[in-house]
Amino acid sequence: GDSVTQMEGPVTLSEEAFLTINCTYTATGYPSLFWYVQYPGEGLQLLLKATKADDKGSNKGFEATYRKETTSFHLEKGSVQVSDSAVYFCALVWGGNQFYFGTGTSLTVIP
Amino acid sequence: GAVVSQHPSRVICKSGTSVKIECRSLDFQATTMFWYRQFPKKSLMLMATSNEGSKATYEQGVEKDKFLINHASLTLSTLTVTSAHPEDSSFYICSATEGGTGEKLFFGSGTQLSVL
């Protein structure tokens, strides 16, 4: 069945470091892929998305490219800030509104 | 942006009692609401999908008599964990949509349930 495998955390980085959070998926069709972010005390918010192969989603300096050949959607940011400390969830949806989420990766950025 | 309010954020209860969790869409009409559960170090798992005015659709393995879902209006859905047991301790989160896919899906902040 459809599933998402996400890099386990927690991840701790210094400010301005490069961030990569790996995400791979298994799907029977051609899903849309998402990254959600949950800041402390808040709900999940859509960070970025890509709906077809080779699409690149980007927002707030974060990027992720839909790679069909490697079934991946890795999240990257060139220079993280303390305010990026949050939990990041990779997800896919196919055939409607049913989402499949990864386990979430906690990121802590230290000054 | 659209906001989904979920309460309570944290609840501790005794085994055998029932707990109600509320999920409200504050500035849009949620035609569909979803309830998820997350055990430590596990994925968010969809428990059920509810449409306003109709019975919820439960995922395989989720007991509908134990997890009662009511979606009585376009802005409110409730999840009641009946006769809670320690194994029900988990993080529960709701989401709501007014339609479309992905970007029109909004999440609550979640409820951490601890059953003693």
Side-chain angles (χ1 to χ4, degrees), chain B residues 6-7 19-24 33-35 48 50 56 58 67-73 75-81 94:
Chain B
Q6 184 174 343
H7 293 282
V19 174
K20 180 184 284 188
I21 303 170
E22 290 191 352
C23 181
R24 293 180 184 272
M33 288 189 170
F34 305 87
W35 287 95
S50 72
Y58 291 81
F67 299 99
L68 301 179
I69 292 172
N70 185 293
H71 191 166
S73 75
T75 59
L76 174 65
S77 176
T78 60
L79 167 67
T80 301
V81 182
C94 69

Side-chain angles (χ1 to χ4, degrees), chain B residues 85-107:
Chain B
H85 289 284
E87 57 264 31
D88 298 324
S89 299
S90 185
F91 182 72
Y92 294 85
I93 192 165
C94 69
S95 65
T97 181
E98 56 183 343
T101 303
E103 65 268 30
K104 294 188 184 295
L105 187 69
F106 303 99
F107 287 82

Side-chain angles (χ1 to χ4, degrees), chain A residues 68-87:
Chain A
K68 182 181 168 186
E69 63 276 13
T70 54
T71 60
S72 65
F73 193 55
H74 304 323
L75 182 68
E76 296 182 337
K77 186 173 185 180
S79 176
V80 294
Q81 305 301 312
V82 172
S83 57
D84 294 326
S85 298
V87 181

